Amino acid sequence: MKKVLFIVGSLREGSFNHQMAKEAEKALAGKAQVSYLNYKEVPLFNQDLETPVLPAVQAARDAVVEADAIWIFSPIYNFAIPGVVKNLLDWLSRALDLSDTTGASALQDKIVTVSSVANGGHDQLFAAYQALLPFIRTQVVGDFTASRVNDEAWATGELTLSADVIESLEKQASALIEA
């Protein structure tokens, strides 16, 4: 069974993107083993911190190396990739052997897809991921899924996804499994 690692780009408890990830997890039920990356302890990238490898960075690398595919659930911060996700990807894209900085990283050739819940800016966000992910030597698959936050969610904290969005997540899940 394939292993899919979910990276939720919001560190907020109960975030809308985490709720979307839970829906995507249903689409992978019986087809893949899903785990969530806890990267709250990964510090801001700083080359001075690269050696020895920090435990939080090593744990993130190990989880990525073990996974067959990665699914990022990303909010949009100022029409861009959230800083915490970009920082994580910066760490993960560094060569595992720093004596050869062009060598393989934890992300090397990983299959990756992206989904997002936000009220605007999906085109800019997805363009940023489409530029970044191949550059850091990942294989981007599937059409990205975008959803707005339903109006009542701001008061209730409960995200409701449309049937079209759920269908899109199911197609994305299939693309990850097939890749």
Side-chain angles (χ1 to χ4, degrees), residues 89-140:
L89 295 174
D90 288 343
W91 274 108
L92 294 173
S93 67
R94 300 291 286 175
L96 295 172
D97 176 1
L98 291 177
S99 69
D100 176 10
T101 58
T102 63
S105 72
L107 289 170
Q108 187 74 41
D109 299 322
K110 287 293 173 185
I111 297 162
V112 180
T113 195
V114 180
S115 297
S116 176
V117 176
N119 281 353
H122 288 110
D123 291 343
Q124 294 89 342
L125 176 75
F126 292 159
Y129 277 113
Q130 289 285 7
L132 174 65
L133 292 171
F135 180 77
I136 59 176
R137 300 182 276 178
T138 67
Q139 298 177 35
V140 180

Side-chain angles (χ1 to χ4, degrees), residues 26-27 34 42 51 75 78-79 90 92 133 137 145 151 155 165 174:
K26 292 177 192 174
V34 173
V42 172
T51 56
N78 297 317
F79 293 110
D90 288 343
L92 294 173
L133 292 171
R137 300 182 276 178
T145 299
D151 292 341
V165 169
S174 293

